[in-house]
Structure formats: C-alpha cells, structure tokens
Amino acid sequence: MKGGLAVMIELAHYWADLRTSSVPYDLALLFFPREELPATENPLPALFESLPGLGGAELAILLEPTDGAIHAGCLGHLHARVVVEGRSAHSARPWQGVNAIELALERLAPIAAVKPREVEIDGLRFVEVLTLTEIHGGIAPNVVPDRVEATISYRYAPDRTPEEAEAELRRLAGDAKLEIVGNGAAGRVVVHAPLVERLAQAGDLRFEAKQAWTNVADFTSRGVDAVNLGPGMTSSVHSPDERVEVASLVRTYEALRRFLHGIA
C-alpha cells in the first residue's frame, strides 16, 4: 500500500506541474487510513455522506498490490464467531460435564470440510473460500472446558449478496451459535466499461480477479465503477519478505500517467 501511496504522490507532483488544458480527465487523489481494519473502522462510508460529489466519479482506481495487472471486483468478507458451550467438570470425572472442545470439533467439522468454490464472472475466476482462523477454549489442565470460541473468515464470490453469504454460513453452522462480526459486500466486476478498457490499453495491462476484499466494494456498491491497480506482488503480502520493486512503481506510474493523458 505504501508503494501505491508513492505513486499517487508522484502523480500529484506531475499534475501540479502541468501547464496544459489538454488532459481529458478531472483527477482527484483520495488518501484515507484504516483500509485493513474491520468495516466498523472504514472511513469511506462517512466520506461518501459528507462529499456527495464523490458518488459522481466516473472511475475509481485503488492502488492495491496487483502484480502489474488490473484486478477487477473483489471478494466479499464475512467475519463471524462461533460459540460452543458445554459444562465444566473435573477432568478425572468428565462424564459429570459436557466437553465444549469435543462439541466444537463435531460442529466445526462441516465448516472445515467446505471446499473452495470457483466462480467465473466476465472471464475472471474468483475462488470462494471458508477458513477457520482462530480458536479459543479451555480453563485449566484438569478441567473439562465449558466454552469454545472459533473465528470464521468467509471470502465469498461476487455472485453472492451479503445476505446470501450470511444465510449460507448459518446453514453450514447448523445448531452452533453464530455471531456475525462484520460483513463487507463483494465488489462488482468492472471489465468492459470504456474508461477501464482505456486504462488497460494505456498500460498494456491484463485483467485478473481480485482474490481478496478491497475498498473497491465501497465504490461499486454506490454505483461508481472501480478497479484495483497498484505496484507490489500479491505473493509477498503479509509475509516476511514483503516488498515492492522500483520497476513496479515506475510501471504503475507510467500506466496511470498515459491514461490521464488519454494515451492508448
């Protein structure tokens, strides 16, 4: 993301130095924080309310790491918590209690067994995945546990609405107590819009599916066409060798500069 910010700052310097009125677009640069935090921390909904003109944009380009491609759309993200309750007892007499860990293993098994689901939209392949990301439980080494909490990350494809995704997860959870922590809608897939096609031509860019949630969804859910395009390698994101190459910074900058001048 810092690589994307660097490109935006360089574009701002370039735009400020222009002494021509021949550019075909009106450029606005939007810098905002907290893009990796839960939906309750997302600053964009309030920004749309305070700046109604933002919803009239023709195209939003989010500078997410995309390996030098245009990533269209994005997965939705449903973050949920499963609570399994039992009854504590001494571990020497487990029949006097109800082991919440054993119950959790039984009730979470159908969720853990869900296979990835592939969805093709406008020729792009999205992979819907359901992942158990956290589990907490237990009182002491000699006590039958009475409570287990597990966290689920459901990355659902753009062919599902948030309501449909929640209904599917509740079906899978069965009798388990399910609490929805957050549910960010998937981003609409924008490939054939004229400005997006011009962007692809300006940078000789290929199209891919965005296999994650991004703030593209904030724009497309409000009727604004939006895509992801930014420097950086998705394979190194959140890894010890996370980095961005200078050549990738330059390539993204040049693609956007050419696009803003209407150069194909």
Side-chain angles (χ1 to χ4, degrees), residues 68-147:
I70 294 175
H71 284 188
C74 73
L75 296 175
H77 186 204
L78 197 166
H79 171 204
R81 183 181 297 116
V82 172
V83 177
V84 179
E85 296 180 337
R87 186 173 67 251
S88 61
H90 197 290
S91 63
R93 295 178 294 278
W95 54 85
Q96 293 180 345
V98 178
N99 194 312
I101 289 179
E102 293 176 359
L103 284 178
L105 291 174
E106 176 184 336
R107 293 179 181 176
L108 294 175
I111 296 173
V114 172
K115 302 296 183 184
R117 169 178 170 259
E118 294 188 4
V119 177
E120 185 174 311
I121 301 175
D122 281 336
L124 304 180
R125 184 180 68 97
F126 292 85
V127 182
E128 181 176 281
V129 289
L130 192 62
T131 309
L132 289 163
T133 54
E134 293 180 293
I135 189 163
H136 307 276
I139 300 171
N142 63 336
V143 178
V144 172
D146 64 350
R147 182 182 176 90

Side-chain angles (χ1 to χ4, degrees), residues 156-169:
Y156 56 90
D159 66 337
R160 292 193 198 268
T161 66
E163 294 76 19
E164 289 170 343
E166 180 178 340
E168 174 65 9
L169 186 57

Side-chain angles (χ1 to χ4, degrees), residues 7 34 36 53 84 86 104 123 125 133 136 139 146 149 158 189 199 204 207 219 228 241 244 250 253-254 263:
V7 170
R34 305 195 299 274
E36 286 282 2
V84 179
R125 184 180 68 97
T133 54
H136 307 276
I139 300 171
D146 64 350
E149 291 187 7
V189 179
L199 175 61
D204 191 21
F207 285 96
F219 289 89
N228 305 277
D241 64 340
V244 59
V250 173
Y253 169 79
E254 287 297 332
I263 303 171

Side-chain angles (χ1 to χ4, degrees), residues 32-54:
F32 61 93
R34 305 195 299 274
E35 57 87 27
E36 286 282 2
L37 296 180
T40 53
E41 297 290 328
N42 183 353
L44 286 186
L47 191 62
F48 273 98
E49 291 180 8
S50 60
L51 295 174
L54 192 60

Side-chain angles (χ1 to χ4, degrees), residues 179-203:
E179 175 190 351
I180 304 300
V181 179
N183 191 355
R188 175 168 50 88
V189 179
V190 181
V191 173
H192 300 299
L195 285 184
V196 176
E197 292 179 341
R198 291 179 201 172
L199 175 61
Q201 293 169 1

